[in-house]
Amino acid sequence: MADQPTVIAGATGWLAAASARRPVLVLVLSALLVALSAVFAVNHLRINTDNFDMISAEKPFRKASIAFRDAFPWYGDQLAVVLDAPTPEQAERAAAVVAHFMRQQPQTFANVDVPGGDPFFRRSGLLFLDTETLQDFLDRLASAQGLLAVLAEQPDLVGLLDMLTLALEQADPDDADTRQLTALVGTLADMAEGEPGAPQMLSWRRQLSVTGQRGLEGRRVVTAKPVQDFGSLSPAKAAIAKLRELAPSLGEGVRMRLTGDAALDTEELESVKLGGSTAGVLSGVGILLLLVIGLRRVRAVLGTLAVLVAGLVISLGFATLAVGQLNLLSVAFAVLFIGLAVDFSIHYTLRVRELGGGAAAVGAAGRSVGPSLALGALAAAIGFLSFLPTDYRGLAELGIIAGGSMVVALLLNLTLLPALLSIGARPVAPPAKRPDAGNLWLADNARTIVLAGMALGIAGLVLTPFVRFDFNPLHLKDAESESVSTFLDLAAGQDAGAYAMDALVPDADAAYDMAMRLKALPEVGRVLHLGSFVPADQEDKLAAIEQATFFLFPVLTAEALPTASAGRQKEAADAFAATAAELAATKGDFGQAALRLAAALQVMPATTVAAFGERVTGLLPDWLADIRMAFEAGPVTEASVPAAIRERWVTADGRYRLQVFPDAPIDGNDTLRAFADAVQAVLPAVTGAPAVVTAAGQTVLDSFRVATVVAAVAVVLLIAVLLRSAADMLLTLLPLALSALITLGAAMVLGEALNFANVIVLPLLFGLGVASSIHLVVRRREVEDAAELMRSSTPRAVLFSVLTTLASFGGLAASPHLGMASMGRLLTIAILATLFATLMFLPALIQLLPQSRK
């Protein structure tokens, strides 16, 4: 090969020599191209941070999701405001404040909804209780109607103490109603005494509830679709910031947390930015240090950096022209470019130095190392472009951009770098080739190294089938972050609503039939549709409510008096204390609880009594208002369901929405997949997190397999055609195969699962591994023997190029973004495996083989 240069060597040598002869022209043309690329990219390149677009829209699960979003524009990319409060009444008040705040800002929030917050549910809520629970609740109200009448007229501490005084006078210690009152007074005493764990506000809804009644939890959720800018790395940041400002005004004890797609994506993108900046600083320092150590010449270091900067800008221009946008994966092309393009510069500059360093050496280096650079660039481009025929659109776009950037890097290293190195270049004595202890050790232990490599390869081959693929993107996010922890909290709730799935069916009959089929599945819990808002057994329930109205007429019609003054409340407390002292001894536990309450109230000043009154009766008007509205219930039909609810369950053309909930909380990937598979077997066109996550994961896994086969076949064909030697082809591919097997085997041993982010590692390994092997195999043709090969500049160039790649990608392992960190860890494993395979295994194998003829 050295005596008869190939066509590639001739072309690369001519290009480098021509650039070295006309450096000023090359610099001017390069600067012009960089400027044009920068202007073009700034004006036309956009960033698409929508995760929904990462998979091809032609996949069935994407079509189902798109169809559902088209039918219900409020669906998807939602922001969920989760409000936790000590009582359900406080949670409802906070939800009303948040919803009002959002609705006042339509430029920031759209489609605001409070599930279960429509007046329809307050009016018809009793009808959704089962008949037995409803009757228990009505009986309880009827038995307390006299006491409630007092509270309805005077809903403050005065009315409460008057009610308790009346109850104390009439109480039968053995009566069930008295025992219930005892529990209430005991709670009031705990509050007055400041007992740890006592409620800050008294929930009358809880105090007067019965077993089986729902809506008693202190949590409400408000959803909205924030107006997002997907051209920004923080699409929903403005909406989230406004809600953060609102949080302190929601009341004491109310906790606001944000989750939903919009919050999850925004927090993830913030961690990506932070991780990218961290990795960038670490990588930049590491690469610069290695360049200084490896190249040892200011001119070479500055030339390499200039090529990197120019290449990045020109690659951005190419990305703008070829794709038009950057997605969450393709933004990583800059790191990939730096990690691989710097390899070309290292090989070129070290070869120039080996050839004497003058202008003639600059041109000669293009002929000498050019074929290896070209083969390495083509192999890397193939590795990236292997995702092009797959449905993983995000990685396919990265492949186009990164593949094109490899061509840019190759051309700049054969034009701009020779031009920079030739300006003022003077011949220098090439570095002396002295025997090296490491090379001698390698020669003496070649057989052992080869056997060790084979053992590692076999172990990797055995372990590879056990490498896990984690299809759940939630596991790439920080579990301690607010959006993720809140999502998991909702997912672990009783109805596991965070993992509900949705689908469209043609009409009401289809909705009823499909709901019955789905409910028969063991994996399915509730199934909702518009018909779910029509209560069962309405005639009997309405009759029971109407009958109870006669007993509760005073409660339902009373007009409340103004809140009494602090002095009047203190007087009521003193009067209650006198009654308690007189009657407590004859009233059992009720009397003792009353004495405790009276004693605590008597030592309070009037203002403190009034504050205590607000704590215990401040939520009473809410409960009374709910009761009054609930007794206005009337017959409910699908036609009478309010439009605000109906439009979320029926499309304009009459199709019905089905919402399917899991039977139990989703606690892992297995249960997530089981739920999705069970529902999709009955209702294929379903969407929602379980369906999307499992289908997207399978798409990525299939894409990974296809890309691996495509890359392997294409790289083998490339090497076979260009090297035209079966032995050289095997020598090039064996280290690559060994690196891949070691990487996968080590990933399995270390518990490092493949995921959406780090699947890029193996295609990258094709480029890196093949490039390193090619440099050694091609150089082997030019030297006398294996020892001469190891004394040349090529192993040093391979070492430093791989180390700079490690510096470039290794910093990702320190990223707070779990996906980025997993990519960094797997890349570190892969690069270390490449180091062993190319700088130990391959030279040892060459040492054992007969020297090829020149």
Side-chain angles (χ1 to χ4, degrees), residues 249-323:
S249 65
L250 296 179
E252 183 180 0
V254 178
R255 179 190 183 194
M256 182 178 79
R257 294 178 294 167
L258 304 179
T259 189
D261 292 340
L264 287 165
D265 291 346
T266 297
E267 275 195 0
E268 181 180 22
L269 290 167
E270 289 293 332
S271 69
V272 167
K273 286 196 295 184
L274 177 60
S277 60
T278 302
V281 171
L282 293 174
S283 299
V285 172
I287 288 174
L288 184 59
L289 183 61
L290 285 168
L291 287 177
V292 171
I293 295 173
L295 301 183
R296 299 181 184 178
R297 296 289 186 276
V298 173
R299 180 195 300 274
V301 172
L302 293 179
T304 298
L305 295 177
V307 168
L308 286 179
V309 173
L312 277 175
V313 177
I314 295 172
S315 295
L316 277 175
F318 170 76
T320 307
L321 184 65
V323 180

Side-chain angles (χ1 to χ4, degrees), residues 636-650:
V636 178
T637 63
E638 284 194 13
S640 68
V641 173
I645 298 174
R646 184 181 181 86
E647 66 185 12
R648 287 181 170 263
W649 292 92
V650 182

Side-chain angles (χ1 to χ4, degrees), residues 169-448:
E169 292 171 347
Q170 299 177 353
D172 177 357
D174 298 323
D175 186 69
D177 291 338
T178 301
R179 288 195 294 273
Q180 291 177 343
L181 274 175
T182 300
L184 170 62
V185 176
T187 300
L188 295 175
D190 290 342
M191 294 174 66
E193 293 169 349
E195 285 292 319
Q200 291 297 310
M201 295 285 286
L202 187 68
S203 170
W204 287 88
R205 183 180 300 176
R206 288 174 178 166
Q207 289 295 322
L208 295 169
S209 65
V210 295
T211 302
Q213 197 168 341
R214 302 187 65 177
L216 303 178
E217 65 281 358
R219 172 175 290 176
R220 294 296 180 270
V221 179
V222 183
T223 64
K225 191 162 186 174
V227 177
Q228 299 190 73
D229 176 14
F230 288 113
S232 164
L233 285 178
S234 298
K237 187 175 182 178
I240 290 173
K242 289 186 176 183
L243 288 171
R244 300 287 187 210
E245 295 174 2
L246 176 68
S249 65
L250 296 179
E252 183 180 0
V254 178
R255 179 190 183 194
M256 182 178 79
R257 294 178 294 167
L258 304 179
T259 189
D261 292 340
L264 287 165
D265 291 346
T266 297
E267 275 195 0
E268 181 180 22
L269 290 167
E270 289 293 332
S271 69
V272 167
K273 286 196 295 184
L274 177 60
S277 60
T278 302
V281 171
L282 293 174
S283 299
V285 172
I287 288 174
L288 184 59
L289 183 61
L290 285 168
L291 287 177
V292 171
I293 295 173
L295 301 183
R296 299 181 184 178
R297 296 289 186 276
V298 173
R299 180 195 300 274
V301 172
L302 293 179
T304 298
L305 295 177
V307 168
L308 286 179
V309 173
L312 277 175
V313 177
I314 295 172
S315 295
L316 277 175
F318 170 76
T320 307
L321 184 65
V323 180
Q325 67 175 24
L326 295 177
N327 61 50
L328 290 177
L329 287 175
S330 60
V331 292
F333 94 91
V335 178
L336 302 178
F337 179 86
I338 293 172
L340 292 174
V342 74
D343 297 354
F344 301 160
S345 299
I346 289 173
H347 280 280
Y348 193 94
T349 52
L350 288 181
R351 190 64 61 88
V352 169
R353 184 182 171 198
E354 181 183 348
L355 293 174
V362 172
R367 174 183 293 272
S368 176
V369 79
S372 300
L373 296 182
L375 282 172
L378 288 173
I382 287 172
F384 291 124
L385 291 171
S386 62
F387 275 90
L388 197 57
T390 72
D391 292 313
Y392 197 179
R393 177 179 169 184
L395 210 48
E397 290 182 357
L398 171 61
I400 294 172
I401 297 169
S405 72
M406 290 299 96
V407 177
V408 170
L410 174 64
L411 293 176
L412 287 177
N413 276 282
L414 293 174
T415 54
L416 179 59
L417 185 58
L420 291 170
L421 294 178
S422 67
I423 298 176
R426 296 179 181 178
V428 296
K433 297 180 180 180
R434 296 184 297 271
D436 183 89
N439 293 336
L440 294 175
W441 178 88
L442 190 69
D444 292 340
N445 296 276
R447 187 177 301 277
T448 301

